[in-house]
Amino acid sequence: FFFSLPSAWDCCVCVLGIMADTKGRVPLVQCFGRKKNSIAVASCRRGKGLIKVNGIPIELVEPEALRFKVFEPVLLLGRQRFENVDIRCRVRGGGSTTQIFALRQAIARAIVAYNQKHVDEMSKREIKDALMAYDRTLLVSDPRRCEPKKFGGRGARARFQKSYR
């Protein structure tokens, strides 16, 4: 009987300098963005430049008035940074405006994380500096949350009107 232990090269195939296992998996990074009650999860992997939100292209995101907010990371960094990656986003919770802001944060974080993990530290630093110079909320979450209602009034701070007679 001929028996040998599998080596590291038997289990992995090197493709363009990026390690991918024999099952055909490509490098993947998942990041999330949050705003109020909305949570967006973006998965970024090597691909052809596709960006989809809940299964539809990013060009068809509603509301149309806030569509450029989702495009901000792409417009800031240039389309060439997104040509070799596919980004698929899932977003849920909150209202339409907060979903848009959660999406833009998830996309920006995903491209930074992908460049750090699978490209190089220098390009990651350039991307991060460009995004931070434009708007800090592209990478950093807004910690503000809704304050709970208290008794004695109709809201968190408002009190019922006081009457003496």
Side-chain angles (χ1 to χ4, degrees):
F1 294 113
F2 179 76
F3 179 79
S4 68
L5 294 172
S7 69
W9 291 107
D10 294 337
C11 299
C12 297
V13 177
C14 188
V15 181
L16 298 175
I18 299 172
M19 297 298 280
D21 63 8
T22 52
K23 292 180 182 173
R25 292 190 210 129
V26 292
L28 171 72
V29 173
Q30 280 193 322
C31 291
F32 65 95
R34 273 198 301 230
K35 175 78 174 174
K36 292 186 178 178
N37 289 329
S38 296
I39 298 175
V41 179
S43 60
C44 183
R45 63 181 69 202
R46 193 175 57 230
K48 302 178 287 210
L50 232 81
I51 303 175
K52 288 197 170 188
V53 177
N54 289 345
I56 63 167
I58 194 170
E59 292 85 14
L60 302 176
V61 170
E62 291 293 329
E64 190 178 344
L66 292 170
R67 197 171 288 165
F68 273 105
K69 280 296 197 192
V70 181
F71 270 112
E72 277 178 355
V74 180
L75 297 173
L76 279 171
L77 301 173
R79 197 70 181 171
Q80 72 277 2
R81 294 262 192 205
F82 292 85
E83 280 178 350
N84 58 349
V85 293
D86 286 347
I87 300 177
R88 296 185 191 280
C89 302
R90 295 183 313 276
V91 63
R92 54 188 300 190
S96 56
T97 303
T98 58
Q99 284 187 352
I100 294 290
F101 279 88
L103 269 171
R104 73 196 277 262
Q105 189 179 76
I107 291 170
R109 282 182 172 181
I111 197 70
V112 168
Y114 183 85
N115 277 282
Q116 179 182 11
K117 192 171 181 184
H118 301 294
V119 184
D120 64 339
E121 189 68 25
M122 192 66 178
S123 64
K124 173 247 176 184
R125 175 62 47 203
E126 290 172 8
I127 291 171
K128 194 172 180 179
D129 289 343
L131 293 173
M132 285 294 253
Y134 178 75
D135 188 3
R136 190 169 184 269
T137 58
L138 280 167
L139 296 175
V140 181
S141 294
D142 187 0
R144 296 178 294 174
R145 295 290 177 262
C146 186
E147 190 176 344
K149 181 197 176 302
K150 280 90 172 180
F151 58 87
R154 53 175 185 74
R157 300 287 174 103
R159 302 292 101 199
F160 292 131
Q161 189 170 348
K162 192 171 178 183
S163 170
Y164 289 102
R165 289 172 201 244

